[in-house]
Structures are given as structure tokens and as C-alpha cells.
Amino acid sequence: MSEFDAIVVGAGPAGSSSAIKLASSGLNVLLVERADPPGSKNVSGGILWGNELAQIIPDWEKNAPLERYVLSKGTGLLTEDSLISIDFRSKKFEKNKTGYSVLRAKFDQFLANKAKASGATLVTGVTVDRVAVKDKKIIGVEQDGDVITSDVVILAEGANPRVAIDSGLRKPIGDRDVAIGIKEVIRLPEATINERFNLRGSQGYAGEYVLGFLPGGVKAGGFLYTNKDTISIGAVVNSADLRANNSTYSYNIMEQFVTHPFIAPYIEGGKVEEYSAHLVCEGGIRSVPKLSGDGYMIAGDSASLSFSNGLVIQGMNYAITSGIAAAETAIAAKSRNNYSADSLKSYDEKLASKYVLEDMKTFKGIEGVTWSNLMHKAVPKMAENIFFDLFYETGQPKRHLYEILLESTAGSGMTKSQLILEAYRAARRM
Amino acid sequence: MVLWHGPTPRVAMESSTSSGDIVALKMIVMMKQVPDAEEIFIDPVKYTLNRSQARGIINPSDENALEAALKIKEKEGGDITVISMGPPQAESAIIECMGRGADRGILITDRVFAAADTYATSLTLAAAVKKIGDFDIIFAGESTTDSGTGHVGPGVAEFLGIDQVTYTVDSRIESGMLTAERELEDGIEVVSTKPPVLVTVLINSNLPRRSRLRLKVDAIRKGVEKWDHDTLSLPVDWVGLKGSPTLVGALKIPEERKRESRPVKLEEIPALVDELVKKGIIKIGDDA
């Protein structure tokens, strides 16, 4: 007889969602989180996309600590001198809210407290060492030599899943699986933020940028999200590139981004309140490990369930969906009293039938595009050349766009055949 | 379990032998939850401390006090009760102490205790110790990071009328006596005394252990007892703001004076020195 029906490791969106579902279905669940309070070790951007939380917290839009809703979604290319951007803002987002900026220190606490209120036993400030194994079956978790038993263990540890790795349930994280994320939270008066981003009330801006101005071979992206009275700004740097370019440091890239002439004015006069760094899942479907087995399931970032196509970065919605799916699987397994790999296999099936694995399969290989030289080196420079030529009055006769386009490829640093090949790949994968 | 052979006048506990004077060592740790000093900032307008965003932690020297008690428990056996006075959210700090090995947690919480100074706090805690009943050693941190008076430990000892050993960096049980090392300005003083005794422990005097999942799960199941002024049979006038003789007259942050600088030529120096003397900023005399 196990002490708990389920032990959930990690009280982020995946773990807490799972625990809420399990506990409110009457299961005896232990939720363990190394941070005290939950969320204090987190470095998410972060925009929460979608409405997944409604499944477990119907009134979440009213009660969760949300900062602003995304009215305006920006995508931009930055070169040394220029910013080429699309700012899509729509009244449609006002009616159908699709994304909210959140500060995870508050948000994760809210979710963990919901789990506690639903009846889960929440333990914070303790790091689980590994899963406990007996007769080749996972029987709970191990910490400091003690074993706490449960029928099933749900690992939702985030992007650096030490328990899963140390227990041999997934391969160690490699350069291709993760990027390095750096984030600052900068305090500014609410009115200043509204003015700078052309927003009102709880309207918000979420922007992602290709940092096309970086010298050498390092590729990185930037993000900028508005909160109520802070701005979350950060860079996501390719870890394989960093390893290959010893003289480049991620914090310098972050500095170059926040001091860029067309980014710096957004945060001018603000006070840096947080500075943090963390791994970011960027490996796509290729990084996803075996999702379940005898007595365990892996959810959220621990299972590399995240999505990024250069236009949008999503992780929390995948985490919540997978956390709930793991809980549903555990609930069904309990009713059958069967926690074997076969019984838990329905977790994989659930994810495959939801958008989580569907998206990741559809966009298989997308990380090859988002981290391609085409996106980071050629496209920003070409775009700059095209727009500059289009709008700059030289006193000469005007030329066709096609001619400008052809010419701009010359300054991109890639040969024409490389460009065509990469552009074809990108078009196929996006 | 090794039993306590001290010359204590305590009555025998459940673990006692027929002789009636051998009982398990009973320790009490006094702990306060304080805001994490790293997360406190000064309000730029009101000049008050803004604690709203600071998470609650165990007062650092109280962690050392608990560790001192746990080390003795490991060697001699016995049990540890953690008591804390504070708002309901201080419960999490008590659970953390139990996660490290304390056996019982009591939160002394009541709106009427609010705004107590060190006198009223000591009185309230002493009343709680009396209610607990028998004890051998009370451990307390030397002072808290959010007020820093160092009054409360000694205050409790005074109200209880027991010995106290302050500023300790190490303590142990030696043939029924508590032997403690006090870190003083000119060296270490080794003191031995008969329990019951109150010991205050210096910050960084030991390495506090981390909590264990097993013990924390058990602690949550066991729960934290909550005592109010009724439980302690304390008149309302004796506690909280009413029971506090301390009056804070004013709290000011001195204004920073702007300083100016400019390069000067060598020959200007005598005139500048004269000016400083005239303004009374410096003095030149025979004894200088």
C-alpha cells in the first residue's frame, strides 16, 4: 500500500495543474517543489497562451494573477541600424483573449496554492533526488535516503529535469535540446508603459525579435513583454553556438539587445528588479523523451514539450495540457488499479491526440529554421536593404522590387544557392 | 535513546525509569519568521521599509539555534518543540523547522499580540514556555534581522527566572551540565551550567541542515498547534501594543548632504584651510 496515490515533482504550470486535477478528483497527492515559495526559481518570459487552465480553474481569467492580455503581437528583425517589424494588434484579441503576460513568481504560487486548496499535500523547499525503484518498478521518490511511496510519479521538473535524468528516464540535456534564456524584469510606471507601447488599461504587448546584428556565428532571439508595471525583456541564445564561439558571452548578447537604439527607449528610466537565466527547451519533437513507463509519466518542459517557430514561443500551455493529461491518465489507472507501462500508455495517446504533440510533429524540424543562418544572418540584412532602397530617395529613377530583392541577396553573406535551399526548407517547415 | 541524567527537579516523563528522576531531554527552540532582508527595499517617498514583496524566512540565527538543538538531540536523544510568535503565515517556517527534525510546532498567534515590543514579546513567549511545562534547555537566536535588539532571548530567561548563556557558538551536554562556548571580544569563554537554562546562539555558528521530504510530509500531517492569549491565560493589557512600554518618538533618515568638488591649485590650499577653520569644520591647535 503506497503512502500516496501520486507524487508530482515540481510545482510549475505542469505539476500544479496535474496536482489540482488529481486532488480535486479525490486522489491523495503529494506535490514537491524545490523553490520556496513556488515560482521563485523560475525564469519564464512569459506569455501564457490559450485557455487550458479553464479545465481545472474555470474562473482563472478573473482570479489568477495575470498582468496584461496580449492585444498587440510584435515580430521584428533587428540589425545594427534598423528594426523591421510587424505589430499585429486587433480588436479581435479584445473579445477573444489569446494570451496573457504573467510574472511566474506570483502565478506559480497561485497555482500551487490552488493545488493545496484542492487537497494536495504541498511541500516546498525540498529537492527530490531520484525516483525510488523496487523490482524494476517505480514505487515513489527518494530524498536524502528516505523513500516516499506512491502508485505513480509525475515528473514536471522544468527545463533542467535532474530527477528524470538521474533516474535514467531521459537522456541528459544536450546543446541541441536547449537554449540559454536571460531575463530582466524592469519596473516602470503603468502610465509610461501604456504610453510607450500605445496601450490602454490591461492591454499588453508581446514581441519577439531576431537579433540579426550579432557578429560571428552566434544566433539569438529577443523577447519583450509588458506586465502591469514592469517589462520582461530577455534574450534566448543558442547554446551550441555559444560552445562553438568561446569568446562570446550570453550576457553580452543580452546587453546588446537591451541597449539597441530601437529597444532601449522602451525601457529607458526603468529600474532592473530581477536578473535571471535558465535553460529554455528548443529542441522540438526530436528532444521529446519516452513520455511514460511503469509507474511514471513526464510532463511539461521536463519532456521538452514546448513550441517555438520564431513568431511565437509557447511552453506554459503545453505544460498545463500535459499536466492535466498525466493526471487524467493516473485517475484512470487508479480506477483500473493498474499503473504499468501499458496502462499509462494512454498518456502518450492523449498528448498525440491533442495539439501538444500534433503541433510539434507538424512543425518537425522547425528548430532548424528558427536557428538557421537564413533567419538570423541573411533575412534581417536583406530586409534592411530592401526597405532602405524602397524608401530612400536617391534622385535616381525608381527600380522594381524584384531588382532590389536580387541585389539585396548579395549583402546577406550567403550564396544564392544556399539562400534558395534554406528558404525552401524554411517554407516547408513553417 | 540516551536519557537525561541531569539534576533537574522535573517530574518524570513517560520515558522515565522507576527512580523517577531520569527523563528524556526536553528542548525548546524559539524561532521568528522574518522577511528576507535581500528582498526588502526602502520606499523612496516614505522612507519606510517595504516588506510586501519579501518572502518569509526563518530568522538566520534562529536556524543556528535549531541546529544547536538538533545536534544535541542527535547525541543525547530527547525532543524539540519549536515555538514562534507571529501571524498565521509563520506556520510555514515552523513546518520547515519540523522538516529539519523538530518534533512539535506551536504558533503563538493572536491579533492582540500585534505590535508587541521586546518586553511584551518576552512575556508572551515566557507564558508559552510555562504552558509547555517541563523543559531543560531553551535555544534562541542571538537576535533577529528585522529588529536586531537581542532582547527577547534574555527577556524570556528573566521572566522564567532561569539561567541564561548568551552569544554561544557551541553547546553540549556533559555529565548533566550544559557546557557552552561563548564568543566574546577577547576570546572564547566556556561556561557550564545546570539546566533549566536558556541559550542564545550566534549567527553562522554552525551549518544549518536542509529539511527532509519525509519529515516535512510528517510535519504537515501532524500540523502546527495554534495558541492565542486565551490559551496562554494572558490578560489583553499585558500583550501586544498595550503591554509594550516602548514608545517610538520618531523615525528619520538623515538627509544626504550634497558635496561639491573642484580642482584646486597648490597655492590656494592655505586660503581653503583658513576657510575650513573659520567654518569650524577643522581645528588647528598645538595638540593637533
Side-chain angles (χ1 to χ4, degrees):
Chain A
M1 179 76 188
S2 300
E3 197 173 337
F4 291 95
D5 292 320
I7 295 177
V8 181
V9 181
S16 287
S17 299
S18 205
I20 291 168
K21 180 78 190 172
L22 289 163
S24 52
S25 306
L27 270 71
N28 184 12
V29 48
L30 171 65
L31 176 61
V32 195
E33 165 60 44
R34 71 184 172 128
D36 180 26
S40 56
K41 299 246 181 199
N42 182 277
V43 192
S44 170
I47 305 286
L48 170 62
W49 298 100
N51 191 28
E52 275 73 18
L53 266 186
Q55 297 169 57
I56 45 170
I57 311 172
D59 60 352
W60 72 279
E61 285 183 289
K62 277 200 190 109
N63 296 324
L66 305 171
E67 294 294 318
R68 290 167 182 260
Y69 75 89
V70 178
L71 172 87
S72 161
K73 177 70 189 73
T75 308
L77 306 169
L78 282 167
T79 67
E80 202 180 331
D81 297 323
S82 312
L83 163 64
I84 305 104
S85 67
I86 294 171
D87 176 3
F88 179 68
R89 53 179 70 206
S90 176
K91 278 190 82 70
K92 290 182 174 172
F93 281 158
E94 218 172 293
K95 285 198 202 83
N96 307 294
K97 297 189 171 69
T98 178
Y100 287 95
S101 55
V102 293
L103 288 167
R104 291 280 299 275
K106 293 182 200 163
F107 186 72
D108 287 12
Q109 248 186 99
F110 166 81
L111 284 183
N113 286 334
K114 277 275 173 201
K116 197 174 162 185
S118 306
T121 302
L122 171 67
V123 173
T124 58
V126 181
T127 310
V128 166
D129 297 328
R130 62 188 71 78
V131 297
V133 181
K134 196 180 168 192
D135 302 328
K136 290 186 179 173
K137 255 198 69 190
I138 289 171
I139 53 153
V141 299
E142 218 182 295
Q143 195 272 328
D144 236 10
D146 300 320
V147 171
I148 320 286
T149 57
S150 67
D151 291 331
V152 64
V153 175
I154 296 170
L155 296 173
E157 315 167 65
N160 189 14
R162 295 308 323 169
V163 174
I165 294 168
D166 293 346
S167 308
L169 300 179
R170 74 162 290 165
K171 277 192 288 188
I173 300 290
D175 285 347
R176 296 180 75 170
D177 302 315
V178 289
I180 294 167
I182 303 175
K183 186 181 77 162
E184 286 179 9
V185 175
I186 296 172
R187 186 164 292 277
L188 278 166
E190 196 175 335
T192 308
I193 294 174
N194 286 347
E195 206 173 293
R196 286 183 187 177
F197 292 90
N198 193 13
L199 301 166
R200 277 184 200 154
S202 58
Q203 298 173 342
Y205 169 78
E208 268 97 32
Y209 304 86
V210 171
L211 308 189
F213 53 81
L214 299 175
V218 177
K219 296 181 281 292
F223 63 85
L224 193 163
Y225 307 136
T226 55
N227 305 312
K228 209 163 278 167
D229 50 8
T230 55
I231 286 176
S232 295
I233 185 167
V236 177
V237 187
N238 187 294
S239 36
D241 288 352
L242 273 181
R243 205 184 288 281
N245 293 270
N246 269 332
S247 56
T248 309
Y249 300 101
S250 52
Y251 52 83
N252 286 339
I253 292 171
M254 173 70 182
E255 204 52 31
Q256 279 171 278
F257 175 51
V258 299
T259 57
H260 188 280
F262 300 122
I263 295 296
Y266 285 136
I267 54 169
E268 197 173 81
K271 188 174 159 280
V272 178
E273 288 207 336
E274 285 177 28
Y275 188 95
S276 53
H278 207 282
L279 299 179
V280 183
C281 289
E282 283 281 348
I285 190 89
R286 200 177 41 196
S287 297
V288 176
K290 192 166 167 282
L291 291 165
S292 64
D294 270 328
Y296 79 93
M297 288 173 272
I298 309 182
D301 271 0
S302 286
S304 300
L305 300 174
S306 75
F307 177 76
S308 153
N309 63 357
L311 302 174
V312 69
I313 307 172
Q314 303 195 344
M316 285 180 248
N317 50 342
Y318 287 70
I320 293 164
T321 304
S322 59
I324 295 172
E328 288 167 348
T329 308
I331 293 161
K334 185 181 163 67
S335 70
R336 292 191 290 266
N337 195 25
N338 180 355
Y339 298 91
S340 68
D342 269 351
S343 178
L344 299 180
K345 192 78 197 156
S346 64
Y347 172 58
D348 305 44
E349 286 152 17
K350 270 184 211 289
L351 290 186
S353 71
K354 289 178 201 260
Y355 70 97
V356 177
L357 284 177
E358 194 67 36
D359 280 358
M360 295 184 77
K361 277 179 187 148
T362 309
F363 289 90
K364 182 168 190 251
I366 188 70
E367 61 285 352
V369 178
T370 52
W371 290 113
S372 66
N373 281 322
L374 176 78
M375 279 297 189
H376 286 260
K377 305 293 172 193
V379 169
K381 200 71 200 155
M382 279 166 61
E384 181 185 38
N385 290 343
I386 291 165
F387 284 108
F388 187 72
D389 273 18
L390 273 176
F391 302 132
Y392 186 68
E393 202 51 61
T394 57
Q396 302 291 316
K398 291 186 172 46
R399 299 182 301 162
H400 276 294
L401 181 60
Y402 178 71
E403 287 172 46
I404 302 172
L405 185 65
L406 264 187
E407 201 180 281
S408 69
T409 59
S412 69
M414 289 172 77
T415 67
K416 277 207 184 70
S417 56
Q418 273 178 326
L419 273 172
I420 291 165
L421 188 68
E422 288 226 24
Y424 172 76
R425 271 194 201 139
R428 287 286 300 161
R429 287 172 184 176
M430 285 182 93
Chain B
M1 185 166 39
V2 180
L3 294 178
W4 168 249
H5 298 271
T8 163
R10 296 200 285 114
V11 277
M13 307 296 288
E14 60 209 306
S15 56
S16 63
T17 62
S18 54
S19 65
D21 59 355
I22 302 168
V23 289
L25 186 61
K26 285 185 81 74
M27 291 177 280
I28 295 170
V29 176
M30 302 202 296
M31 182 275 296
K32 184 182 182 186
Q33 189 184 45
V34 295
D36 190 343
E38 285 175 23
E39 293 172 10
I40 295 175
F41 57 94
I42 295 173
D43 187 301
V45 182
K46 289 182 279 182
Y47 289 120
T48 51
L49 292 181
N50 187 334
R51 305 171 179 190
S52 64
Q53 299 191 15
R55 67 187 185 131
I57 57 167
I58 300 173
N59 175 54
S61 64
D62 296 351
E63 287 194 278
N64 301 109
L66 173 64
E67 184 60 32
L70 288 168
K71 278 189 170 153
I72 290 182
K73 181 186 165 183
E74 269 172 357
K75 224 173 141 223
E76 316 287 341
D79 71 86
I80 299 172
T81 300
V82 170
I83 60 172
S84 184
M85 179 169 142
Q89 59 263 34
E91 189 178 340
S92 63
I94 297 178
I95 294 284
E96 173 67 24
C97 293
M98 292 166 81
R100 293 183 195 185
D103 303 272
R104 180 186 179 196
I106 300 165
L107 176 62
I108 299 145
T109 187
D110 193 327
R111 285 195 167 275
V112 301
F113 294 150
D117 68 2
T118 54
Y119 183 90
T121 304
S122 304
L123 178 75
T124 310
L125 286 168
V129 171
K130 279 203 169 142
K131 177 151 182 68
I132 290 171
D134 300 319
F135 67 91
D136 300 296
I137 313 166
I138 302 172
F139 285 98
E142 184 263 320
S143 65
T144 54
T145 50
D146 67 340
S147 77
T149 62
H151 290 173
V152 173
V156 170
E158 285 306 309
F159 277 119
L160 293 171
I162 58 170
D163 285 349
Q164 53 180 291
V165 187
T166 51
Y167 304 108
T168 68
V169 290
D170 190 32
S171 44
R172 54 191 176 270
I173 301 291
E174 280 175 352
S175 45
M177 304 282 277
L178 175 100
T179 301
E181 293 182 6
R182 306 180 67 215
E183 193 172 272
L184 304 176
E185 275 165 24
D186 45 5
I188 300 273
E189 184 182 75
V190 182
V191 179
S192 277
T193 181
K194 267 187 207 169
V197 59
L198 184 141
V199 179
T200 73
V201 180
L202 278 178
I203 189 166
N204 295 336
S205 57
N206 51 35
L207 190 66
R209 69 197 62 192
R210 56 179 196 168
S211 54
R212 278 162 57 190
L213 183 58
R214 172 77 273 155
L215 297 178
K216 264 196 163 172
V217 169
D218 294 346
I220 290 168
R221 287 210 179 113
K222 198 183 283 179
V224 170
E225 295 163 54
K226 291 176 190 82
W227 292 2
D228 60 11
H229 79 275
D230 267 345
T231 326
L232 297 179
S233 316
L234 278 173
V236 193
D237 289 352
W238 291 18
V239 297
L241 191 62
K242 280 186 183 168
S244 297
T246 309
L247 276 177
V248 179
L251 195 63
K252 272 191 230 165
I253 293 181
E255 287 224 358
E256 212 179 316
R257 267 205 285 175
K258 280 236 158 120
R259 285 159 211 272
E260 288 168 25
S261 69
R262 64 182 172 89
V264 293
K265 291 195 180 93
L266 201 61
E267 54 269 28
E268 284 180 79
I269 291 175
L272 288 172
V273 172
D274 285 348
E275 208 183 314
L276 289 175
V277 172
K278 221 169 96 188
K279 284 188 175 172
I281 294 167
I282 59 168
K283 227 189 213 171
I284 296 176
D286 296 335
D287 53 336

